Amino acid sequence: MVQVFVYPPLGALTSVHGPRIAFRVYFAYGSTELVQRDAVEVWTDIYGDEWQGVPLEPDRSAAASPEHAFLDLEQLHSTVCVQQFSLDIAIASLPSSLCRFEFTVRWRSGSAGEWQWVSGFEHNARVAIFRPLPQSRAPVSFWRQQLKPLLQPADPLDSGGPGFIADSWQASSSGASCLLKPLGSGTEPLCRLAAIERYLAYVRKDQFWIIPQSGASLLNTGDFDVVLLLLELSSGVYAALMPFSLGSAVSHAAVLRIQPLNTICAVSVSRVRAESVRVAMGFSLDPHNAVQEAMLRIQQSLPVASNSSNTLSEQTPMHPCSLTRNRGYCTWNGFYQNVTHDSLVSMVSDIRRANGACGQLPFSWVLIDDGWQSVDKYDGFGRLRDICANTEKFPGQLRQTVESLSKLGVGRVGVWHTLWGYWGGIDPTGPLAGQYTLVKCHRAWSPVVKGESDVWLISSKSVHRFYDDFYSWLSEQGVTFVKVDYQAAFESLDSYADKPSDESRASIADMHTAHYDAMEQAALRHFGAGSIIYCMAQSPHLISRTLRRQQLVADNAATEHALFRNSDDYFPDVAASHSWHIYCNLANTVWSRCLDKVFVIDWDMFQPGRAESRIHAAARMVSGGPVYMTGRAADFAVTSTYNMGGSNSVIPHFPPLIDRDCLFADMSKVPAILASTIAVPANASVVIAVFNLAGTPVVTPLPLCSIYSAAVQRHDQAYRRAPSPSTPRSTQLGAVNYLAIYQKSTNRLLVEAATPELFAIALSPLTCDTLTMVQMQPLRTSDQSAVLHAACLGDVTRYVGTTVIERNVHSVLPASPGTNSPTYAHAHGGQRQWNVRVRVAAGICRLSFVLCAYDTTPDVNRLTLSIYT
């Protein structure tokens, strides 16, 4: 059996930003007997209107090629060898007028053999070509030039221009931004978008969640409201459009609405004053930076927020068990709403035994999800009666449960509730109704609660006292954090105390803000910083609110951050959801990472013991956020499905950023590798996380050089390492900059003097791998006669092992008698002893180093050392 893999992928649009177009065709064989292929061609219109075949050359030494150093054939079941055919075309050799072309692949055996086609013409690959653009800081005039072809009059017959004013331009080292002010009302079209190659729209699936939708040229977002629109322009520049409102003292939420022929308008979500809507536009040569430019511009434009939700004091609680640095457990998929004290304590005890039997360390914190509260019924219409726990389920209240879990080694316990208290608000006949002022509202039908109803909510005047009482009681019970769900539900309200519609909208927006203020201030007072998990909160209201809060947070603030759910729920029993869940989280990171002064991104829990558990475990570990699980004890006994290394600690890091080539397609469906980069500035390293979310195996070249370069440029200041000024760099001892590249799945290591252009990667369906790339540091002897190149890979049992390093390899000292220093045989003969130093996070007991000589073909020695702290 032969499998054929083509790059660029067939049936998709790929953008090439130069300097060359790389074509690769891989034939994967189930036996060592190769079928002779005398001709493999790219059938294309790249050279004009006439289609023609362009031959690819066979790679005769594929097994020894660095391009195949990380090609793992075990990922391709029953495959014993791979034959590669290659073609590279310099963009400079093509006509300057060529912007797009298509191709497919054909092959034959013998000069008279019949051509075999890899796919039908309806699945041709499409390629867009972009010429080089200025890489240094561009003037404002360059970015202003991007507007004219992009923003056209809404009516093609109107010669008067678009319906907006573009002003307040700002340029930065990474791009530029401006504000669009509509000339008409919010319901009138703003403009028509043109000169687009591809788009990525972040749309509101419902009031609670934002999802990515992508396509080419013609925007197709259905009836969904668009929160953020990222465009790849025909010029090669990236533009991001994000609306916001200045018309309300409590809500600054706005959305774009897409009309036929790429016509857009911007409207206020609260509709308090629609005429005050603005659109922030960000421009950059990097799509992530374009989004950051737009969101930073909104942050600068909004009024300064009150600091009452962010103020720390000496009385603010501090917890040694961080939610982001320790693994946790959530009760939801193990119990749903049937959780009780006895069943939870028994389950945690059983899971500890299962973890011990399979060599996994126990979790450090527990979240008691829906099902513990005193409500009239446990469903979407249920109402909260009292702040205490259900006495039948928790007869000793939560204090008994917290104490029992503490004896089992659980360091921290949290509970779930909604921002309203419960799904249906407050019971008007219960004890709470006599303690706090309630307001009657009407909730319209929504996809979450499929029905309409009257709801009673705590009034804006009483909600601060309610949350202070609620969280004070929880704190007395030993609870130290909360998951606050259903946060965007205020948008489902269509009336407030029977007021007219305009007054109702203003009152609802005011009450939404009051609930947030009360909840956040009470949580900080009683639980401390980083004690909230925000869920069902992906609304323009919270985004604009968070951007306002970030105005008061210092860039180097060291306080614990709250957690922000980055996607809809994890659904273990829905087979089709797993690829989408991972892709959606990665795609949403494009915008959610811009809230990183307040939030750590949370990819939700996952359940071990299932076929897809391994990729979910890997995804959580590369997410940069918390790692927590759910399920029953039997699930935890299947260690092979979720092995997460030998440490219970989680080291937070920058969230992964999707590679530019993967941004503008639904990578849960495309048979290609989804690549993302993780920056680890403390170690001057880049970790590339690759996923195959499709249902078939994938073999494809990874453009390692461009991915690595983009990641380094994005964090230029953090990575910059200047040479000593005393000696010109070209004449310095150890002038060659070696790069160590480590693949986790195969444990393979490669040292190169230059970043390789392409690496072939193979992944089976629903799998993940990481490539760690570390610049090796030259360590010289005191007499400058020899140099050792050294790099630390960190703890390679982790998917992002370099995050344990707080300071990279940084000195060579004379070895002290009796110390255990690695000894390296210098290439010129003789023995030299080096003291290689790194600083790592507390509790790390395993490190891996790469060592090689400076002036020879790298002679790589990988040492595993035990570090005792």
Coordinates of all heavy atoms in Angstrom, one line a residue, residues 805-866:
I805 N 13.7 26.6 33.2 CA 14.9 27.4 33.3 C 14.6 28.9 33.6 O 13.9 29.5 32.9 CB 15.8 27.3 32.0 CG1 16.1 25.8 31.8 CG2 17.0 28.1 32.1 CD1 16.7 25.5 30.4
E806 N 15.2 29.4 34.7 CA 15.0 30.8 35.0 C 16.1 31.6 34.5 O 16.0 32.8 34.3 CB 14.8 30.9 36.5 CG 13.6 30.2 37.1 CD 13.4 30.4 38.6 OE1 14.4 30.8 39.2 OE2 12.3 30.1 39.1
R807 N 17.3 31.0 34.3 CA 18.4 31.7 33.7 C 19.2 30.7 32.9 O 19.5 29.6 33.4 CB 19.3 32.4 34.7 CG 20.4 33.3 34.0 CD 21.2 34.0 35.0 NE 22.3 34.7 34.4 CZ 23.3 35.3 35.0 NH1 23.4 35.2 36.3 NH2 24.3 35.9 34.3
N808 N 19.6 31.0 31.7 CA 20.2 30.1 30.8 C 21.7 29.8 31.2 O 22.2 30.4 32.1 CB 20.2 30.7 29.4 CG 20.5 29.7 28.3 OD1 20.3 28.5 28.6 ND2 20.9 30.1 27.2
V809 N 22.3 28.9 30.5 CA 23.7 28.6 30.7 C 24.5 29.9 30.6 O 24.3 30.7 29.7 CB 24.2 27.6 29.5 CG1 25.7 27.5 29.6 CG2 23.5 26.3 29.6
H810 N 25.3 30.2 31.7 CA 25.8 31.5 31.7 C 27.2 31.7 32.2 O 27.7 32.8 32.3 CB 24.9 32.4 32.6 CG 24.8 32.0 34.0 ND1 23.9 31.0 34.4 CD2 25.4 32.5 35.1 CE1 24.0 30.9 35.7 NE2 24.9 31.7 36.2
S811 N 27.9 30.6 32.6 CA 29.3 30.9 33.0 C 30.1 29.6 33.0 O 29.6 28.5 33.1 CB 29.4 31.5 34.4 OG 28.9 30.6 35.4
V812 N 31.4 29.8 33.0 CA 32.4 28.7 33.1 C 33.3 29.1 34.2 O 34.0 30.1 34.2 CB 33.2 28.5 31.8 CG1 34.2 27.3 32.0 CG2 32.2 28.2 30.7
L813 N 33.4 28.3 35.3 CA 34.3 28.6 36.4 C 35.2 27.4 36.7 O 34.9 26.3 36.3 CB 33.4 28.8 37.7 CG 32.5 30.0 37.6 CD1 31.6 30.1 38.9 CD2 33.2 31.3 37.4
P814 N 36.3 27.6 37.3 CA 37.2 26.5 37.6 C 36.4 25.5 38.5 O 35.7 26.0 39.5 CB 38.3 27.1 38.4 CG 38.3 28.6 37.9 CD 36.9 28.9 37.7
A815 N 36.5 24.2 38.3 CA 35.8 23.3 39.0 C 36.4 23.2 40.4 O 37.6 23.1 40.6 CB 35.9 21.9 38.4
S816 N 35.5 23.2 41.4 CA 36.0 23.0 42.8 C 36.2 21.5 43.1 O 35.5 20.7 42.5 CB 34.9 23.6 43.8 OG 34.6 24.9 43.5
P817 N 37.2 21.2 44.0 CA 37.5 19.8 44.3 C 36.2 19.2 44.9 O 35.5 19.7 45.7 CB 38.6 19.9 45.4 CG 39.2 21.3 45.1 CD 38.1 22.2 44.6
G818 N 35.9 18.0 44.4 CA 34.8 17.2 44.9 C 33.5 17.5 44.2 O 32.5 16.9 44.6
T819 N 33.4 18.5 43.3 CA 32.2 18.9 42.7 C 31.9 17.9 41.5 O 32.9 17.4 40.9 CB 32.1 20.3 42.2 OG1 33.2 20.5 41.3 CG2 32.3 21.3 43.4
N820 N 30.7 17.8 41.2 CA 30.3 16.9 40.0 C 30.1 17.7 38.8 O 28.9 18.1 38.5 CB 29.1 16.1 40.4 CG 28.7 15.1 39.3 OD1 29.5 14.7 38.5 ND2 27.5 14.6 39.3
S821 N 31.2 18.1 38.1 CA 31.0 18.9 36.9 C 31.2 18.1 35.7 O 32.0 17.1 35.7 CB 32.1 20.0 36.9 OG 32.0 20.9 38.0
P822 N 30.4 18.3 34.6 CA 30.6 17.5 33.4 C 31.9 17.7 32.8 O 32.4 18.8 32.6 CB 29.4 18.0 32.5 CG 29.2 19.4 33.0 CD 29.4 19.4 34.5
T823 N 32.6 16.7 32.4 CA 33.9 16.7 31.8 C 33.7 16.5 30.3 O 33.1 15.5 29.9 CB 34.9 15.7 32.3 OG1 35.0 15.9 33.7 CG2 36.2 15.7 31.6
Y824 N 34.3 17.4 29.5 CA 34.1 17.3 28.0 C 35.5 17.1 27.3 O 36.4 17.9 27.6 CB 33.4 18.6 27.5 CG 33.2 18.5 26.0 CD1 32.2 17.8 25.5 CD2 34.0 19.3 25.1 CE1 32.0 17.7 24.1 CE2 33.8 19.2 23.8 CZ 32.8 18.4 23.3 OH 32.6 18.4 21.9
A825 N 35.6 16.2 26.5 CA 36.9 15.9 25.7 C 37.0 16.9 24.6 O 36.2 16.8 23.6 CB 37.0 14.5 25.3
H826 N 37.9 17.9 24.6 CA 38.0 18.9 23.6 C 38.5 18.2 22.3 O 39.2 17.3 22.3 CB 39.0 20.0 24.0 CG 39.0 21.1 23.1 ND1 40.0 21.3 22.2 CD2 38.2 22.2 23.0 CE1 39.7 22.5 21.5 NE2 38.6 23.0 22.0
A827 N 38.0 18.8 21.2 CA 38.3 18.2 19.9 C 39.8 18.1 19.6 O 40.2 17.3 18.8 CB 37.6 19.0 18.8
H828 N 40.6 19.0 20.1 CA 42.0 19.0 19.8 C 42.8 18.1 20.7 O 44.0 18.0 20.7 CB 42.6 20.4 20.0 CG 42.1 21.4 19.0 ND1 42.3 21.2 17.6 CD2 41.4 22.5 19.1 CE1 41.7 22.2 16.9 NE2 41.2 23.0 17.8
G829 N 42.1 17.3 21.5 CA 42.7 16.3 22.4 C 42.9 16.9 23.8 O 42.8 18.1 24.1
G830 N 43.0 16.0 24.8 CA 43.2 16.4 26.2 C 41.8 16.5 26.8 O 40.8 16.4 26.2
Q831 N 41.9 16.7 28.1 CA 40.6 16.8 28.9 C 40.5 18.2 29.5 O 41.5 18.8 30.0 CB 40.7 15.8 30.1 CG 40.7 14.3 29.6 CD 39.3 13.9 29.0 OE1 38.3 14.3 29.6 NE2 39.4 13.1 28.0
R832 N 39.4 18.8 29.4 CA 39.1 20.0 30.1 C 37.9 19.9 31.0 O 36.9 19.2 30.6 CB 38.9 21.1 29.0 CG 40.1 21.5 28.2 CD 39.8 22.6 27.3 NE 40.9 22.9 26.4 CZ 41.9 23.7 26.7 NH1 41.9 24.3 27.9 NH2 42.9 23.9 25.9
Q833 N 37.8 20.6 32.1 CA 36.7 20.5 33.0 C 36.0 21.8 33.0 O 36.6 22.9 33.2 CB 37.2 20.1 34.4 CG 36.1 19.6 35.3 CD 36.6 19.0 36.6 OE1 37.4 19.7 37.2 NE2 36.2 17.8 36.9
W834 N 34.6 21.7 32.8 CA 33.8 22.9 32.7 C 32.7 22.9 33.8 O 32.1 21.8 34.0 CB 33.1 22.9 31.3 CG 34.0 22.8 30.2 CD1 34.5 21.6 29.6 CD2 34.6 23.8 29.4 NE1 35.3 21.8 28.6 CE2 35.4 23.2 28.4 CE3 34.6 25.2 29.4 CZ2 36.1 23.9 27.4 CZ3 35.3 25.9 28.5 CH2 36.0 25.3 27.5
N835 N 32.5 24.0 34.4 CA 31.4 24.2 35.3 C 30.3 24.9 34.6 O 30.3 26.1 34.4 CB 31.9 24.9 36.5 CG 30.8 24.9 37.7 OD1 29.7 24.5 37.4 ND2 31.2 25.3 38.9
V836 N 29.3 24.2 34.1 CA 28.2 24.8 33.4 C 27.0 25.1 34.3 O 26.5 24.2 35.0 CB 27.7 23.8 32.2 CG1 26.6 24.4 31.4 CG2 28.9 23.4 31.4
R837 N 26.6 26.3 34.4 CA 25.7 26.7 35.4 C 24.3 27.2 34.7 O 24.3 27.9 33.7 CB 26.2 27.9 36.2 CG 27.6 27.6 36.8 CD 28.1 28.8 37.5 NE 27.3 29.2 38.6 CZ 27.4 30.4 39.2 NH1 28.3 31.3 38.8 NH2 26.7 30.7 40.3
V838 N 23.2 26.8 35.4 CA 21.9 27.3 35.0 C 21.1 27.5 36.3 O 21.5 27.0 37.3 CB 21.1 26.3 34.1 CG1 21.8 26.1 32.8 CG2 20.9 25.0 34.8
R839 N 20.1 28.3 36.2 CA 19.2 28.5 37.4 C 17.9 28.0 37.0 O 17.3 28.4 35.9 CB 19.1 30.0 37.8 CG 18.3 30.2 39.1 CD 18.5 31.6 39.5 NE 17.9 32.6 38.6 CZ 18.1 33.9 38.6 NH1 19.0 34.4 39.4 NH2 17.5 34.7 37.8
V840 N 17.3 27.1 37.8 CA 16.0 26.5 37.4 C 15.0 26.7 38.5 O 15.3 27.2 39.6 CB 16.2 25.0 37.2 CG1 17.2 24.7 36.0 CG2 16.7 24.3 38.5
A841 N 13.7 26.4 38.2 CA 12.6 26.6 39.1 C 12.8 25.6 40.3 O 13.4 24.5 40.1 CB 11.3 26.4 38.4
A842 N 12.2 26.0 41.4 CA 12.3 25.1 42.6 C 11.6 23.8 42.3 O 10.6 23.7 41.6 CB 11.7 25.8 43.8
G843 N 12.2 22.7 42.8 CA 11.6 21.4 42.7 C 12.0 20.6 41.5 O 11.6 19.5 41.3
I844 N 12.8 21.2 40.6 CA 13.2 20.6 39.3 C 14.4 19.7 39.6 O 15.4 20.2 40.2 CB 13.5 21.6 38.2 CG1 12.3 22.4 37.9 CG2 13.9 20.8 36.9 CD1 11.0 21.7 37.6
C845 N 14.4 18.4 39.3 CA 15.4 17.5 39.7 C 16.0 16.8 38.5 O 16.8 15.9 38.6 CB 15.0 16.5 40.7 SG 13.6 15.5 40.1
R846 N 15.6 17.2 37.3 CA 16.2 16.6 36.1 C 16.4 17.6 35.0 O 15.5 18.4 34.7 CB 15.3 15.5 35.5 CG 15.8 14.8 34.2 CD 14.8 13.9 33.6 NE 14.6 12.7 34.4 CZ 13.9 11.7 34.0 NH1 13.3 11.7 32.8 NH2 13.7 10.6 34.8
L847 N 17.6 17.7 34.5 CA 18.0 18.6 33.4 C 18.7 17.8 32.3 O 19.5 16.9 32.6 CB 18.8 19.7 33.9 CG 18.1 20.7 34.9 CD1 19.2 21.8 35.3 CD2 17.0 21.4 34.2
S848 N 18.6 18.3 31.1 CA 19.4 17.7 30.0 C 20.2 18.8 29.3 O 19.6 19.9 29.0 CB 18.5 17.0 29.0 OG 17.9 15.9 29.5
F849 N 21.5 18.6 29.1 CA 22.4 19.5 28.4 C 22.8 19.0 27.1 O 22.9 17.8 26.9 CB 23.6 19.8 29.3 CG 23.3 20.6 30.5 CD1 22.9 20.0 31.7 CD2 23.5 22.0 30.5 CE1 22.6 20.7 32.9 CE2 23.2 22.7 31.7 CZ 22.8 22.1 32.8
V850 N 23.1 20.0 26.2 CA 23.8 19.7 24.9 C 25.1 20.4 24.9 O 25.2 21.6 25.2 CB 22.9 20.1 23.7 CG1 23.6 19.7 22.4 CG2 21.5 19.6 23.8
L851 N 26.2 19.6 24.6 CA 27.5 20.2 24.6 C 28.2 19.9 23.3 O 28.1 18.7 22.8 CB 28.4 19.6 25.8 CG 27.8 19.7 27.2 CD1 28.7 19.0 28.2 CD2 27.6 21.1 27.6
C852 N 29.0 20.8 22.7 CA 29.7 20.5 21.5 C 30.9 21.5 21.4 O 30.8 22.6 21.9 CB 28.8 20.5 20.3 SG 28.2 22.1 19.8
A853 N 31.9 21.1 20.6 CA 33.1 22.0 20.4 C 32.8 23.1 19.4 O 31.9 23.0 18.6 CB 34.2 21.1 19.9
Y854 N 33.6 24.1 19.4 CA 33.3 25.3 18.6 C 33.8 25.2 17.2 O 33.4 25.9 16.3 CB 33.9 26.5 19.3 CG 35.4 26.7 19.1 CD1 35.9 27.5 18.1 CD2 36.2 26.0 20.0 CE1 37.3 27.6 18.0 CE2 37.6 26.1 19.8 CZ 38.1 26.9 18.8 OH 39.5 27.0 18.6
D855 N 34.9 24.5 17.0 CA 35.6 24.6 15.7 C 35.7 23.4 14.9 O 36.5 23.2 14.0 CB 37.1 25.0 16.0 CG 37.8 24.1 16.9 OD1 37.1 23.1 17.4 OD2 39.0 24.2 17.1
T856 N 34.8 22.4 15.1 CA 34.7 21.2 14.3 C 33.3 20.9 14.0 O 32.4 21.6 14.5 CB 35.3 20.0 15.1 OG1 34.4 19.8 16.3 CG2 36.7 20.3 15.6
T857 N 33.1 19.9 13.2 CA 31.7 19.4 13.0 C 31.2 19.0 14.3 O 31.9 18.2 15.0 CB 31.7 18.2 12.0 OG1 32.3 18.6 10.8 CG2 30.3 17.7 11.8
P858 N 30.1 19.4 14.7 CA 29.6 19.2 16.1 C 29.7 17.8 16.5 O 29.1 16.9 15.9 CB 28.2 19.7 16.1 CG 28.2 20.7 15.0 CD 29.1 20.2 13.9
D859 N 30.4 17.5 17.6 CA 30.4 16.2 18.2 C 29.5 16.3 19.5 O 29.9 16.8 20.5 CB 31.9 15.9 18.6 CG 32.0 14.6 19.3 OD1 31.1 13.8 19.2 OD2 33.0 14.4 20.0
V860 N 28.3 15.9 19.3 CA 27.3 16.1 20.3 C 27.3 15.1 21.4 O 27.3 13.9 21.2 CB 25.9 16.2 19.7 CG1 24.8 16.4 20.7 CG2 25.8 17.2 18.6
N861 N 27.3 15.6 22.6 CA 27.2 14.7 23.8 C 26.0 15.2 24.6 O 26.0 16.4 25.1 CB 28.5 14.8 24.6 CG 29.6 14.2 23.9 OD1 29.9 13.0 24.0 ND2 30.3 15.0 23.0
R862 N 25.1 14.4 24.9 CA 23.9 14.8 25.7 C 24.0 14.2 27.0 O 24.2 13.0 27.2 CB 22.6 14.4 25.0 CG 21.4 14.8 25.8 CD 20.2 14.9 24.8 NE 19.0 14.9 25.6 CZ 18.2 13.9 25.7 NH1 18.3 12.9 24.9 NH2 17.1 14.0 26.4
L863 N 24.0 15.0 28.1 CA 24.2 14.5 29.5 C 22.9 14.8 30.2 O 22.4 15.9 30.2 CB 25.4 15.3 30.1 CG 26.7 15.3 29.4 CD1 27.7 16.1 30.1 CD2 27.2 13.9 29.2
T864 N 22.5 13.8 31.0 CA 21.4 14.0 31.9 C 22.0 14.1 33.4 O 22.6 13.2 33.8 CB 20.4 12.8 31.8 OG1 19.9 12.8 30.5 CG2 19.2 13.0 32.8
L865 N 21.7 15.2 34.0 CA 22.3 15.5 35.3 C 21.2 15.5 36.3 O 20.1 15.9 36.1 CB 23.1 16.8 35.3 CG 24.1 17.0 34.2 CD1 24.7 18.4 34.4 CD2 25.2 15.9 34.3
S866 N 21.5 15.2 37.6 CA 20.6 15.3 38.7 C 20.9 16.6 39.4 O 22.1 16.7 39.9 CB 20.6 14.1 39.6 OG 20.2 12.9 38.9

